[in-house]
Amino acid sequence: MTDDTAPRDTATQDTATQGTTTQGTATFDLGPQTRVLARLAEGVGDARLADPTPCPDLAVRHLLGHLTGLAVAFRDAARKDLGATTDTAPESAVPDVGPAWREELTAALGELAEAWRDPGAWTGMTRAGGIDLPGEVAGAVVADELVIHGWDLARATGQDYEPDPAALQAAYGLLSAAAEESERDEGMFGPVVDVPAGAPLLERAVGLSGRDPGWTRPARP
């Protein structure tokens, strides 16, 4: 019996289609990026759960808890299954993980990717974090969350990181638009960190998210 909730890892899906819905909304497969995150999570040892991350006041365990929660919330947003998971603001509580966090995160990421493979997820209105927004915007927001928090997790745990190009492009587009619309040079998550125009796209996206691309985890005593 196959596990339909786990992130899938087939050549066909790694080159998953990008296209449009019947209403002309751009779509792309979140599966490659969720698989990147699942692999990063597998590389996190329990001894690292209390380590700091580039997210202020969030340890690795809290970041992993946030990723699990947002995967569930945006899965339900894609399905238009609105309720407690889509109505709760992310800052309402500090997320955490339980003993089975690896299995829970892997399952949630797989369900998230599958939900967003439905073209209907990208159309109409939905809700996430208690905010009503168009489906296509929600898709870009979750891509941004997966890309930037993937970088956070990789940096905090000393792992290599190469996000899915389609998800990275969507994240950069969302973050750059938010920065351009801001009157105080602030991005979606805080003041923009200046990054050279010729820097890699990931570094520019990280800077737009209010993070220093040069952040490294503190040395252990």
Side-chain angles (χ1 to χ4, degrees), residues 14-50:
D14 278 332
T15 56
T17 59
Q18 296 185 53
T20 59
T21 66
T22 55
Q23 297 178 338
T25 302
T27 68
F28 57 93
D29 187 6
L30 290 171
Q33 181 60 25
T34 60
R35 288 192 289 277
V36 169
L37 272 174
R39 287 191 287 269
L40 287 174
E42 281 299 313
V44 179
D46 289 342
R48 290 286 180 189
L49 292 178

Side-chain angles (χ1 to χ4, degrees), residues 74-221:
F74 279 93
R75 173 203 68 191
D76 292 346
R79 295 172 176 173
K80 310 298 195 291
D81 184 11
L82 309 184
T85 60
T86 60
D87 292 349
T88 303
E91 65 272 12
S92 62
V94 177
D96 205 345
V97 294
W101 67 266
R102 289 181 180 83
E103 294 81 3
E104 292 169 358
L105 177 57
T106 297
L109 288 170
E111 293 169 359
L112 169 70
E114 188 62 36
W116 284 94
R117 290 189 181 107
D118 180 355
W122 300 83
T123 62
M125 296 294 294
T126 189
R127 187 180 308 137
I131 300 173
D132 293 325
L133 68 172
E136 61 187 298
V137 175
V141 170
V142 71
D144 171 64
E145 293 273 358
L146 296 173
V147 167
I148 298 300
H149 286 318
W151 181 87
D152 292 331
L153 184 60
R155 282 301 175 96
T157 57
Q159 299 186 71
D160 293 333
Y161 180 54
E162 186 174 346
D164 170 62
L168 173 57
Q169 189 63 57
Y172 179 78
L174 183 77
L175 291 165
S176 59
E180 288 176 3
E181 293 173 4
S182 172
E183 295 180 356
R184 297 189 303 275
D185 197 29
E186 291 204 2
M188 295 180 67
F189 305 107
V192 170
V193 175
D194 290 333
V195 177
L201 187 61
L202 176 59
E203 292 185 11
R204 285 181 278 151
V206 167
L208 287 170
S209 75
R211 292 157 169 78
D212 179 2
W215 189 95
T216 57
R217 57 181 178 167
R220 283 185 166 186

